[in-house]
Amino acid sequence: MHVNFSCFTPLRAQVYLDGGYVEPLTGQAKLAVNPATLASVGRYPVCAEADVERAVASANRAQKLWKQTDTASRAALLHAIAHALENAPIRSEVAKLICREMGKPYPDAYGELSICASVFRYYAEMARDDGGKVAGTNQAGSFQHMRYEPYGVSVHILPFNYPILLLCWTVAASLAAGNACIIKPAEATALCTLRFMEYFAALPPGLVACLPGDAHTAQLLIQSAGTHAVAFTGSVAAARAVGVACAERMKPCVLEAGGSDPMIISRHAPLEVAAAGCVNSAFLLSGQVCTSSERFFVVDQIHDDFVAEFARRTVQLRVGDGMGTAEIGPLVSQAARDKVARLVLEAVEQGAKIVCGGRIPPDCPPGWFYEPTILTGVTPQMAIMREECFGPVAAICRVADFDEALRLANDSEFGLGASVFTTDLAEAMEAANRLESGMVWINNPLIDNDALPFSGSKMSGLGCELGRQGLDAFRRSKMVILDHQPRIHDWWLPRPDAAFYPAQAAATEEQ
């Protein structure tokens, strides 16, 4: 099929299927709204049962051929995707759509796209390098090994905050493992995800599909007998629902359910570096990052100096439309901003102090903006320390020492990431050992590595993305036993009497 990608337009409700953009089978559509201006960006479909059935059938047809494709050929196509990501001219167009759909500042949106190619190259070669394991045999004349096989069709339910990067993390692994992929983008970023599908033009038609929609669309994809694995990123409540639905169908899943990450500032922290790093880890993407630093534990000895430097740098941040020069764009929705405002207000009513921010900026356009906010005098019992805020708020709790900081950092139902600033090696090692989280950053928060697993503990999720574990999430293992010189084994049925009555047989032999 020749695909004319110029037919894509945000003004039409479309799906991506069989290598091109087609009309959905259902007529319902929603408006995409710019959270910075509240202007319409375009329309996306709400895919229903007929759309899901069509996409699932197409994906299963394509996967049967893809499964039989040798790993070198698969790798070549994944490298072709990476090459397109590094060179295709539509990167700016996709970045602008990200900015207009969910408010991400344009440099961050463009930067997100610029780091996607490496994960396709990583998994292209990882899948070629590792296809199974030959075990030491436990029986002479027997060749015993394990091989990996794809599950079939994987479903990818995505968040709004990193709509393209997180898509690439799991889709690259799943394709490398031999699966077909059906993508259900977040409603807030359906259009940029659809536009991104051009990068999969090198793949066989049907191998990747994109079905925008709502929670019901996701449920249909999970419940379908024609899908075989699920990757989900979102809230704890939604992750629980996805996990239950997968468990009922014995369907493997990877669940990344967010967090409320702690940041510890030791008395040995380099204060200028720590303050600068905390501005980034707390306020990047207006705090709408699953690994944003939200709960700050600052040792009493340097508390005041740190807060002063942290605030000095924070008030320099510009708030506004991400298509301009602002570093802090809007929250994704009114509901998101309302939650942030509620948590800040409750904390203040319970004794917390606003160092800066704590309000809707008075001179911004009519979008869902909120100023970068620093609170001090926060206690661990406050809701802002118990819930995931997912907004531009740093809640600071003063602690007596490093040990108390570690203890309070672990006092949470979440366990995604945790960060520490210290120049003391003993503290760094203690943090790495004791922090109850899937990831620990020391003096450099929010860094990812394609070759290392991205995962959480506690209520922050199940399974891993990235690394070898991210590839294993999309393939099953099969044990194979091959006797190349078949023979009758003495333990096969029927057994001689001696096998049933060994003592009696021994006594008979003695007589």
Side-chain angles (χ1 to χ4, degrees):
M1 174 189 293
H2 175 72
V3 182
N4 179 11
F5 283 97
S6 64
C7 69
F8 174 82
T9 169
L11 301 178
R12 295 174 61 190
Q14 298 169 303
V15 301
Y16 181 82
L17 186 71
D18 287 329
Y21 297 103
V22 298
E23 299 295 323
L25 297 176
T26 50
Q28 185 182 359
K30 289 185 179 181
L31 284 177
V33 176
N34 186 330
T37 64
L38 307 188
S40 174
V41 179
R43 298 170 66 247
Y44 62 91
V46 179
C47 291
E49 190 169 359
D51 298 298
V52 169
E53 290 177 351
R54 179 175 64 169
V56 168
S58 174
N60 276 279
R61 287 193 297 269
Q63 194 273 333
K64 284 182 172 60
L65 297 175
W66 184 245
K67 177 182 178 180
Q68 302 303 322
T69 303
D70 63 88
T71 56
S73 298
R74 282 189 213 158
L77 289 175
L78 295 182
H79 281 300
I81 294 171
H83 182 77
L85 284 164
E86 292 163 344
N87 298 281
I90 68 161
R91 185 187 298 177
S92 178
E93 181 183 341
V94 177
K96 288 176 182 177
L97 271 175
I98 295 173
C99 181
R100 289 170 178 152
E101 278 193 283
M102 57 76 62
K104 179 177 290 190
Y106 179 80
D108 295 327
Y110 194 86
E112 176 181 348
L113 290 163
S114 70
I115 60 175
C116 290
S118 65
V119 75
F120 282 95
R121 297 205 186 279
Y122 174 76
Y123 280 124
E125 296 308 314
M126 176 63 74
R128 286 209 310 150
D129 177 68
D130 181 16
K133 172 187 175 182
V134 176
T137 184
N138 61 7
Q139 184 175 295
S142 182
F143 176 53
Q144 302 175 353
H145 68 284
M146 178 271 290
R147 64 178 63 186
Y148 290 115
E149 293 185 345
Y151 284 119
V153 175
S154 57
V155 175
H156 303 257
I157 303 171
L158 301 172
F160 71 85
N161 57 346
Y162 284 91
I164 306 304
L165 180 64
L166 298 187
L167 177 158
C168 293
W169 281 8
T170 58
V171 167
S174 186
L175 289 172
N179 301 289
C181 302
I182 301 178
I183 297 160
K184 210 296 286 183
E187 292 192 68
T189 46
L191 299 178
C192 64
T193 307
L194 281 166
R195 191 68 185 97
F196 182 77
M197 292 299 104
E198 174 174 341
Y199 287 108
F200 295 114
L203 294 178
L207 201 58
V208 172
C210 182
L211 298 186
D214 55 15
H216 182 60
T217 309
Q219 291 169 2
L220 290 171
L221 286 166
I222 295 167
Q223 293 165 1
S224 172
T227 65
H228 312 97
V230 176
F232 169 87
T233 301
S235 69
V236 171
R240 281 173 167 161
V242 171
V244 168
C246 289
E248 288 175 342
R249 294 159 180 82
M250 294 295 185
K251 194 171 289 190
C253 60
V254 176
L255 306 175
E256 198 272 89
S260 179
D261 279 12
M263 167 66 78
I264 296 174
I265 309 298
S266 157
R267 67 185 180 91
H268 300 292
L271 285 186
E272 288 191 4
V273 175
C278 289
V279 169
N280 190 68
S281 67
F283 303 128
L284 178 68
L285 192 53
S286 300
Q288 298 173 118
V289 182
C290 57
T291 51
S292 289
S293 299
E294 296 191 358
R295 300 179 295 128
F296 284 68
F297 302 97
V298 183
V299 172
D300 178 75
Q301 186 173 338
I302 48 86
H303 176 277
D304 293 348
D305 290 341
F306 169 78
V307 171
E309 180 64 14
F310 188 21
R312 185 186 72 80
R313 292 175 178 273
T314 296
V315 297
Q316 298 175 27
L317 298 174
R318 295 163 291 186
V319 180
D321 190 337
M323 288 301 295
T325 57
E327 297 100 348
I328 305 297
L331 279 300
V332 71
S333 67
Q334 181 178 3
R337 187 178 70 178
D338 288 348
K339 179 181 181 180
V340 172
R342 170 183 65 81
L343 289 171
V344 170
L345 178 60
E346 289 179 3
V348 171
E349 289 175 343
Q350 295 170 22
K353 304 297 182 183
I354 295 175
V355 178
C356 60
R359 64 176 185 170
I360 297 170
D363 55 350
C364 274
W368 311 124
F369 295 96
Y370 198 84
E371 289 184 348
T373 300
I374 298 175
L375 299 175
T376 58
V378 175
T379 62
Q381 294 73 32
M382 293 179 181
I384 201 164
M385 298 290 271
R386 314 306 299 181
E387 299 181 27
E388 182 177 29
C389 179
F390 221 60
V393 181
I396 299 178
C397 178
R398 186 192 294 258
V399 295
D401 53 30
F402 195 73
D403 186 73
E404 183 183 14
L406 289 173
R407 180 175 58 81
L408 292 177
N410 288 336
D411 183 22
S412 172
E413 68 175 6
F414 298 106
L416 188 57
S419 297
V420 177
F421 274 98
T422 182
T423 56
D424 184 271
L425 179 59
E427 287 183 341
M429 295 303 297
E430 189 77 0
N433 290 334
R434 288 177 57 187
L435 284 169
E436 297 169 357
S437 60
M439 297 162 286
V440 175
W441 293 279
I442 301 169
N443 298 329
N444 193 2
L446 304 188
I447 296 301
D448 302 317
N449 184 331
D450 294 339
L452 295 175
F454 186 99
S455 64
S457 63
K458 303 181 183 179
M459 297 304 295
S460 287
L462 296 170
C464 292
E465 299 168 338
L466 299 182
R468 183 180 299 273
Q469 295 87 345
L471 180 61
D472 290 342
F474 294 100
R475 57 188 188 177
R476 63 166 58 89
S477 59
K478 176 187 286 185
M479 183 183 76
V480 179
I481 305 295
L482 169 62
D483 280 21
H484 51 279
Q485 293 181 333
R487 62 189 178 89
I488 296 175
H489 296 277
D490 57 11
W491 49 269
W492 286 1
L493 299 180
R495 298 190 181 97
D497 289 345
F500 290 94
Y501 307 105
Q504 179 180 343
T508 300
E509 289 177 3
E510 289 177 2
Q511 293 175 357

